[in-house]
Amino acid sequence: MTAVSFTACRKEKPLTASSTLTTVDANGKSKTPARLKKLNAETKAWLEGKNVAVILGYGYNEEESISEITQNLNENFGVETEENKALISVFVYPNDFMVGGKARLSSLLDLIEDKTLAGMIILGSPEGLHMPLSKLQDKEESGLLPYPVFSFFPQDDVLGAESTSDFVLDYAHKTNQLDTEFSGFIPDFDLNSLLNNAISSMITLREPLKADQNLIEFVKKLFNSKKNVSHYIDGETGLQSINHFVFE
């Protein structure tokens, strides 16, 4: 199955599946993805009709990566297609952000306009993506988004990513590189496991995380204790970020 088959929902084609918690297999039969089978009835009722947006940016927007990530997400949670509803809505930068032949980050607002989000995960955030996220925050009376936002390996402005995400997670050696773009390769690292744990945690949370002393423990659990996670320290100021972490 190619990455194209998992692209985000387009308005011109109706969604035929009756639930965002089931998918349709090759034989046209409905089935419940692996991780959603484990949810209790009350959680399933809360999650019905909602989506988790997954944005694939730098380091994760090549065809091979898109295919691998979306197939994993489809197996565990269900990925929305043009024909069928599902929990996960995948958007690829720059492909899904093109307007008049140019990639526009502001398109994010249009992509999620008709969705009720239970959370958002951003992989390899392109520079400037924090700006449309900031606009979404401004629309909220509290100034905060009503759902969790996790940013992994961003190429965006550090302060911007921190201010628009519950937490930012980076590979420790990436933060020491002079290259402006991240290849996405991390030795001895299972991205799919991290994503699956992150989405399962979002479903359990149902609300944004608090930026307090417990935040680092939450992030550590996403790795099943297999990585050393620490606070990010700004190289110029020496200040430690409360919601930005690195692992190795």
Side-chain angles (χ1 to χ4, degrees):
M1 188 175 296
T2 64
V4 176
S5 65
F6 288 109
T7 53
C9 167
R10 300 291 185 265
K11 294 180 180 179
E12 63 268 26
K13 291 188 178 182
L15 300 174
T16 58
S18 60
S19 171
T20 54
L21 304 187
T22 59
T23 57
V24 179
D25 63 20
N27 297 318
K29 296 182 179 180
S30 294
K31 64 177 183 177
T32 302
R35 291 234 176 178
L36 298 185
K37 290 180 180 179
K38 303 176 182 179
L39 301 180
N40 59 40
E42 192 272 337
T43 300
K44 288 180 179 178
W46 174 83
L47 198 58
E48 183 61 64
K50 295 182 174 66
N51 294 102
V52 173
V54 176
I55 300 171
L56 304 182
Y58 295 131
Y60 302 95
N61 57 359
E62 298 295 330
E63 184 174 346
E64 182 177 353
S65 295
I66 298 169
S67 179
E68 179 182 347
I69 291 169
T70 51
Q71 287 185 41
N72 164 69
L73 293 176
N74 191 55
E75 178 181 340
N76 285 281
F77 301 99
V79 172
E80 195 168 75
T81 68
E82 294 183 354
E83 292 79 22
N84 300 303
K85 291 182 179 179
L87 178 63
I88 307 298
S89 295
V90 176
F91 304 109
V92 180
Y93 180 86
N95 299 6
D96 291 321
F97 291 76
M98 301 300 290
V99 178
K102 294 183 179 180
R104 299 190 182 278
L105 293 169
S106 58
S107 297
L108 175 63
L109 304 179
D110 298 322
L111 292 172
I112 64 173
E113 181 181 11
D114 297 327
K115 299 183 181 297
T116 301
L117 294 187
M120 180 184 295
I121 291 179
I122 309 168
L123 281 169
S125 173
E127 184 177 0
L129 189 63
H130 70 277
M131 289 188 283
L133 288 174
S134 181
K135 290 184 178 180
L136 287 172
Q137 288 179 329
D138 291 341
K139 292 181 180 180
E140 300 294 328
E141 186 175 345
S142 64
L144 299 172
L145 293 176
Y147 49 82
V149 178
F150 302 165
S151 182
F152 300 137
F153 322 116
Q155 301 295 315
D156 201 355
D157 172 75
V158 172
L159 293 179
E162 292 174 351
S163 67
T164 53
S165 305
D166 289 39
F167 69 82
V168 176
L169 182 64
D170 251 318
Y171 175 48
H173 297 286
K174 166 185 172 288
T175 62
N176 296 324
Q177 293 176 355
L178 295 178
D179 296 335
T180 57
E181 291 193 6
F182 177 46
S183 67
F185 173 74
I186 302 173
D188 191 28
F189 171 65
D190 187 346
L191 174 65
N192 287 331
S193 176
L194 177 65
L195 282 177
N196 292 343
N197 290 342
I199 294 170
S200 291
S201 297
M202 281 184 165
I203 293 170
T204 302
L205 281 171
R206 303 191 190 181
E207 62 183 5
L209 286 161
K210 294 181 180 179
D212 57 21
Q213 67 273 15
N214 297 317
L215 187 54
I216 190 171
E217 296 303 321
F218 175 90
V219 176
K220 287 179 179 179
K221 290 180 181 179
L222 299 181
F223 287 104
N224 297 322
S225 302
K226 294 180 180 179
K227 294 292 182 181
N228 180 32
V229 180
S230 58
H231 286 273
Y232 169 80
I233 298 177
D234 186 89
E236 295 183 1
T237 65
L239 296 176
Q240 176 178 285
S241 173
I242 193 171
N243 75 328
H244 190 165
F245 307 96
V246 295
F247 72 91
E248 57 184 345

